[in-house]
Amino acid sequence: MALINQGWAAALLAMAALPLSTSAGAQGAQSTQGSQVNYPTKPIRVVVPFSAGSATDILSRMIGPKLYEAWGQQVVTDNRPSAGGTVAGGIVASAAPDGYTLLLTSSAFAGSAALYDQLPYDTVRDFAGITQIASTPLVIVASPSLGLKSLKDLIALAKQKPKFLNFASSGIGSGTHYGSELFNYSAGISATHVPYKGVPEAMNDTMTGRTQYFVAPTLAVIPLLKSGRLQALAVTPAQRIVQLPEVPTVAEAALPGFEYDGWYGFVAPAKTPRAVVLKLNAAIVRILESTEIREKLLAQGAVVRTGTPEAFEKLIREEIVTRRKIFQAAGAKPL
């Protein structure tokens, strides 16, 4: 299989990795408008599309207590891991548009829309963006039982034995699935996709050797790398990351020009009152921009990315287009 055209790939990947930013004046105007609404007056449910211990779960349990401190209302994390996040998406799309049921999602939100012909919701029409919250590099990790020394070793083994290797993901259409297909296509290799309900399950089977490699988010995988239970072969962004300075980038290790970051954010059901969306946006942005949360996320390899509801909606639309092109080029299909 030929390598992906580098110019085309670079353009797509640059689009996927665009940071979001907002002027202080615009954010200030939003904060003023949102603060006038009588919200919240009861507990808020945050539906998380992956299992406990996943990056989305970690983020929800990090932000939820801070919202409680600000508003005095409980924020309950509701894990609904199934079908690459589409079950959770369906729950939130059909919920009352009142701001009390939110979805903390990942780039799987766009990936599922890019991969599936039919979903229980329309990813663009049925949700209101609140804000992107973070981006995170991913790490290509391998089972220590393989005895690999480098990313080139993994590519060589996959080429010697097409379809012999299994790669894990946190679900069909997830950011880890997309990252793997992008890597496989760029490297010109063929392997068998094994989707799981979430990152912890995928990591466990990669540790035991049932699957041989996994493109994992740093938020969840760094502790296992430090303990030697997984082997890091390369990180996916353009530059090495401070948490794993000894691990080369994919571009350095084997595939010049390769770059990929995952992302996370909050959405609400469509038709949620604008004032409620803006109040959520202002509160979540304020929490994320605190020194405490920034440092916690950075320690786990994530970078705070915030912006307006419109900016997050634009990112989602663009990502659907980008990921559809990569999935189609790689020949990825729903199982």
Side-chain angles (χ1 to χ4, degrees), residues 5 20 62 80 83 97 122 135 176 195 274 278 298 300 317:
N5 179 278
L20 302 181
M62 189 180 294
R80 296 298 183 100
D122 185 294
S135 66
T176 62
R274 176 72 175 168
L278 294 180
L298 186 60
Q300 299 182 70
R317 291 194 302 270

Side-chain angles (χ1 to χ4, degrees), residues 35-125:
S35 64
Q36 296 172 355
V37 66
N38 185 24
Y39 167 90
T41 59
K42 63 181 182 179
I44 299 167
R45 176 170 66 145
V46 176
V47 181
V48 169
F50 300 107
S51 53
S54 63
T56 45
D57 179 74
I58 291 169
L59 288 165
S60 178
R61 296 180 191 278
M62 189 180 294
I63 295 169
K66 295 298 182 181
L67 286 173
Y68 173 74
E69 289 177 11
W71 290 338
Q73 294 292 344
Q74 293 288 343
V75 177
V76 180
T77 296
D78 182 4
N79 297 89
R80 296 298 183 100
S82 189
T86 59
V87 168
I91 291 170
V92 176
S94 61
D98 54 11
Y100 291 99
T101 303
L102 309 176
L103 179 67
L104 198 166
T105 192
S106 69
S107 49
F109 193 57
S112 294
L115 194 57
Y116 287 98
D117 291 331
Q118 291 186 327
L119 290 172
Y121 52 82
D122 185 294
T123 306
V124 174
R125 290 199 304 266

Side-chain angles (χ1 to χ4, degrees), residues 87-317:
V87 168
I91 291 170
V92 176
S94 61
D98 54 11
Y100 291 99
T101 303
L102 309 176
L103 179 67
L104 198 166
T105 192
S106 69
S107 49
F109 193 57
S112 294
L115 194 57
Y116 287 98
D117 291 331
Q118 291 186 327
L119 290 172
Y121 52 82
D122 185 294
T123 306
V124 174
R125 290 199 304 266
D126 292 343
F127 298 91
I130 297 172
T131 183
Q132 183 183 2
I133 58 177
S135 66
T136 179
L138 287 86
V139 188
I140 300 180
V141 299
S143 171
S145 63
L146 280 180
L148 302 175
K149 294 182 178 179
S150 68
L151 187 64
K152 284 185 177 179
D153 286 350
L154 175 64
I155 294 171
L157 180 60
K159 287 184 175 180
Q160 289 169 7
K161 299 180 178 181
K163 288 289 185 183
F164 171 74
L165 297 179
N166 298 324
F167 69 91
S169 82
S170 57
I172 299 171
S174 66
T176 62
H177 179 203
Y178 172 76
S180 298
E181 295 289 7
L182 179 62
F183 164 67
N184 294 344
Y185 185 76
S186 300
I189 63 176
S190 179
T192 301
H193 178 209
V194 182
Y196 292 86
K197 287 185 176 181
V199 169
E201 296 86 349
M203 290 192 301
N204 286 339
D205 272 11
T206 305
M207 283 188 288
T208 62
R210 291 185 65 185
T211 53
Q212 285 71 54
Y213 67 101
F214 177 38
V215 181
T218 55
L219 267 170
V221 80
I222 282 180
L224 297 175
L225 298 176
K226 299 294 187 182
S227 67
R229 299 170 71 187
L230 285 169
Q231 179 185 6
L233 299 178
V235 295
T236 61
Q239 304 294 328
R240 293 193 186 198
I241 63 174
V242 295
Q243 297 79 9
L244 300 169
E246 73 285 359
V247 179
T249 66
V250 175
E252 289 176 320
L255 303 173
F258 187 100
E259 180 181 354
Y260 172 56
D261 282 301
W263 51 262
Y264 306 90
F266 278 99
V267 297
K271 299 183 181 180
T272 298
R274 176 72 175 168
V276 170
V277 168
L278 294 180
K279 190 166 186 179
L280 281 162
N281 174 280
I284 293 168
V285 169
R286 187 164 54 248
I287 289 166
L288 289 167
E289 292 184 346
S290 70
T291 301
E292 176 191 354
I293 297 300
R294 279 184 176 274
E295 290 181 351
K296 281 184 178 180
L297 288 174
L298 186 60
Q300 299 182 70
V303 177
V304 170
R305 302 282 189 202
T306 61
T308 64
E310 293 80 10
F312 190 38
E313 290 171 355
K314 181 175 182 288
L315 175 69
I316 291 167
R317 291 194 302 270

